[in-house]
Amino acid sequence: ENKKEFQHFLSKLGSKKVFEATIASELLLKSLQQSTMNVQLFRALGGIEAIQSQLIKHKEHALHVNLFNILKCILCQDRLSFHHWIHTDPTTSLVTHAKNEKYRMLVLLLMQKLIFWDSEEIVDGFLEFWSGGLMRQVFAACFSEKETKAMSVLILGRAIRNNTFLVRFKNEVIEMLKCVANYIPRLVEDDIAEQKTWIGGLSGLSMTPVARKLLDRSFWTIFLPLLDFLHKQGKESMIDDLLAAGMNFTLDSTNLSDHGMEISEKLVGLCGNPTFKKAPLLLNRVLEKCPNTLLAEDKGQFASLLKVIRSQADLQSDSLSTAVKLLARTTAKSTQARKWVVKYKILDKLLELLECNTVATESSKPATAILSNAALSCAHCFQDEGVCKTQQTDVVDTMLKHAKADKGLAIQQNAAIALARLATNSPVLLERLRELRGLEILHSRFSLPEGGT
């Protein structure tokens, strides 16, 4: 019965009466959407060729839209149909309709399916079409329009991950990337749907060095404005996607350092929200790439940092690791920062972490880094005689435990520095150190480092 029905639809699609063909296309689309088996039967009856023929023949808008949706439905549901389609050279009809802006998005949807199918044979088909020039004409037409630019960038981001494509069409890719770079500063003006597509495209582009190099400046220029906009809109999943793209763009960036302070300030706030899993990872990468980046001397920033440190006790936490690393770097340079660490009881939290945990050579890297930077931050604060005199004697016990850690761990040195300052600034704590026979530990350690580990 389905076979007879499809044959009837095909005959009606060829009708000279556009109204009849339009009605038949609507009914056919509904039938194909019901099951993959219907799609496979339609392919066996020569349906793909019939649709392509009608696309070239008919000019009426409603019928065109239906025919494109039928073709999209077929190609998205059935791999064999898609495989058959790419070997029938449909690009002539694609180019014809891409010249009309009404159909460009539909054309792009078909191109997107072509390049995103997980099949080497289909990727080869894409390369073949592009080599012929017709697909490039389609893409150029779509790339030049604001309404279809975002989808074009998404497709380009996937295409250039194929090394054969990138090598063969490198000059064209570079020209397209320059267009992308010029448009990126206007991303905040786009609607949310386009921004989502753009972020997906930038994520794809960020996986290749040539794209990262050409887009580096424009990406970091728009990063914070776009992040702020998405945050106000409550688009959490899009924010994490943007942060993931940022991770890749840091790999060989020469412009990140121009924005390091502002970006780190924003990311500190995000680190306190477990939804943004990429925030601490990106912040850590920013700190690595921008060694002079410190936490701003701002109460709001320290409130955000305190929130992260107070809410975390897990020594495997990326958020805690990054927060303590930033704190160690900042307290090394800023007197005001050290005062706020004491005032807002961050010092108490750090000492609690050190009291409750130990590290050894076999300890995990995050745990070792957290405790080492915690000890270093404490050591920075113990430069103040007043701070040292407020400490109880058990702080000596805690620091001495870590100063005796396995040889080669940075926490040895950092805890020893803290002990030296405690003993220098407080006679009571010096006496406690003598009682525990800890003075010899101080003679076997190095001088104070400038920043965190």
Side-chain angles (χ1 to χ4, degrees):
E1 291 180 0
N2 284 347
K3 181 177 180 180
K4 290 180 180 179
E5 183 181 63
F6 286 151
Q7 288 174 334
H8 172 72
F9 286 150
L10 287 172
S11 66
K12 290 297 183 181
L13 286 176
S15 172
K16 293 181 179 180
K17 298 179 180 179
V18 176
F19 177 75
E20 285 187 4
T22 302
I23 295 298
S25 66
E26 292 174 356
L27 295 173
L28 175 59
L29 180 59
K30 290 180 181 179
S31 180
L32 292 173
Q33 288 172 336
Q34 291 176 2
S35 74
T36 302
M37 290 184 63
N38 285 351
V39 171
Q40 293 168 347
L41 175 59
F42 187 69
R43 167 171 51 81
L45 294 173
I48 295 177
E49 293 87 344
I51 295 298
Q52 290 174 196
S53 174
Q54 298 305 319
L55 277 170
I56 297 173
K57 178 179 178 182
H58 289 290
K59 304 299 181 185
E60 203 278 325
H61 175 57
L63 180 55
H64 266 298
V65 173
N66 287 344
L67 292 172
F68 265 109
N69 283 328
I70 289 171
L71 184 56
K72 184 176 69 165
C73 175
I74 295 169
L75 302 181
C76 290
Q77 289 193 59
D78 180 35
R79 182 183 291 271
L80 288 178
S81 293
F82 201 91
H83 182 269
H84 175 79
W85 176 72
I86 67 169
H87 286 87
T88 58
D89 198 3
T91 52
T92 300
S93 61
L94 289 181
V95 172
T96 299
H97 296 293
K99 291 177 181 177
N100 188 328
E101 63 182 31
K102 293 179 180 178
Y103 309 123
R104 282 182 187 161
M105 184 56 74
L106 290 170
V107 172
L108 277 178
L109 288 172
L110 295 181
M111 288 182 68
Q112 180 189 12
K113 196 64 188 178
L114 178 63
I115 193 59
F116 277 82
W117 268 109
D118 185 19
S119 167
E120 283 301 318
E121 191 169 7
I122 290 175
V123 171
D124 290 342
F126 183 87
L127 289 170
E128 181 181 340
F129 287 153
W130 198 283
S131 297
L134 293 173
M135 193 69 88
R136 280 181 278 175
Q137 293 178 39
V138 174
F139 196 77
C142 296
F143 202 80
S144 64
E145 297 293 333
K146 180 180 184 297
E147 292 74 14
T148 50
K149 189 183 291 289
M151 183 69 77
S152 302
V153 171
L154 185 66
I155 293 169
L156 180 63
R158 175 64 181 83
I160 67 171
R161 287 160 60 185
N162 181 290
N163 192 57
T164 303
F165 175 88
L166 183 57
V167 171
R168 191 181 301 178
F169 306 111
K170 184 175 181 179
N171 291 336
E172 292 176 62
V173 167
I174 288 174
E175 290 305 312
M176 287 185 283
L177 289 173
K178 289 179 180 178
C179 293
V180 173
N182 290 333
Y183 188 82
I184 285 177
R186 302 202 296 272
L187 276 183
V188 178
E189 303 169 9
D190 287 349
D191 60 39
I192 288 293
E194 288 182 341
Q195 288 173 349
K196 184 177 180 64
T197 305
W198 262 98
I199 292 172
L202 289 173
S203 294
L205 291 171
S206 70
M207 295 182 183
T208 58
V210 64
R212 290 197 298 268
K213 180 178 180 180
L214 290 172
L215 303 181
D216 183 41
R217 180 182 296 278
S218 55
F219 178 83
W220 292 116
T221 299
I222 196 62
F223 179 80
L224 278 178
L226 185 56
L227 187 61
D228 287 334
F229 177 81
L230 295 175
H231 201 221
K232 290 176 183 177
Q233 298 295 318
K235 301 299 180 180
E236 295 179 345
S237 63
M238 291 174 63
I239 289 175
D240 227 33
D241 290 342
L242 179 62
L243 297 178
M247 287 287 291
N248 288 332
F249 273 105
T250 62
L251 291 176
D252 35 23
S253 175
T254 58
N255 292 279
L256 175 59
S257 57
D258 296 338
H259 310 275
M261 179 71 80
E262 295 84 357
I263 291 174
S264 63
E265 289 176 9
K266 182 66 178 180
L267 293 177
V268 166
L270 297 183
C271 283
N273 188 335
T275 302
F276 305 120
K277 293 180 173 56
K278 299 290 191 305
L281 300 176
L282 179 56
L283 178 55
N284 188 56
R285 188 71 64 80
V286 172
L287 295 179
E288 290 175 355
K289 296 290 184 178
C290 308
N292 295 323
T293 294
L294 306 175
L295 190 65
E297 293 186 349
D298 177 81
K299 290 183 180 180
Q301 288 293 299
F302 274 83
S304 297
L305 196 66
L306 177 60
K307 180 180 178 181
V308 175
I309 295 174
R310 278 184 171 173
S311 64
Q312 297 286 343
D314 181 8
L315 294 186
Q316 304 305 314
S317 166
D318 291 321
S319 295
L320 182 59
S321 178
T322 306
V324 178
K325 178 178 181 178
L326 180 58
L327 186 65
R329 179 181 292 187
T330 304
T331 52
K333 301 288 186 180
S334 170
T335 302
Q336 181 63 60
R338 294 192 289 272
K339 290 179 180 179
W340 275 332
V341 167
V342 176
K343 180 178 180 180
Y344 295 113
K345 300 187 182 304
I346 299 177
L347 178 62
D348 295 343
K349 178 62 178 179
L350 297 177
L351 290 172
E352 180 184 330
L353 282 173
L354 290 164
E355 181 181 356
C356 298
N357 298 278
T358 57
V359 295
T361 305
E362 66 273 12
S363 298
S364 69
K365 187 176 180 180
T368 302
I370 288 172
L371 295 178
S372 181
N373 279 316
L376 184 57
S377 297
C378 292
H380 293 154
C381 294
F382 292 156
Q383 295 179 66
D384 188 304
E385 182 179 347
V387 173
C388 293
K389 289 183 176 180
T390 63
Q391 299 302 310
Q392 301 299 313
T393 55
D394 57 1
V395 70
V396 175
D397 300 56
T398 299
M399 288 299 176
L400 189 58
K401 173 182 67 174
H402 291 291
K404 293 177 179 179
D406 289 352
K407 186 176 181 181
L409 292 175
I411 193 170
Q412 285 183 314
Q413 178 179 328
N414 295 341
I417 294 167
L419 281 171
R421 288 176 175 168
L422 288 167
T424 300
N425 291 319
S426 170
V428 174
L429 299 181
L430 172 60
E431 185 59 31
R432 178 57 179 168
L433 187 62
R434 284 189 176 129
E435 290 175 8
L436 297 174
R437 299 180 182 277
L439 286 176
E440 62 270 20
I441 294 291
L442 303 184
H443 298 294
S444 62
R445 301 299 179 248
F446 301 98
S447 58
L448 180 65
E450 292 187 358
T453 57

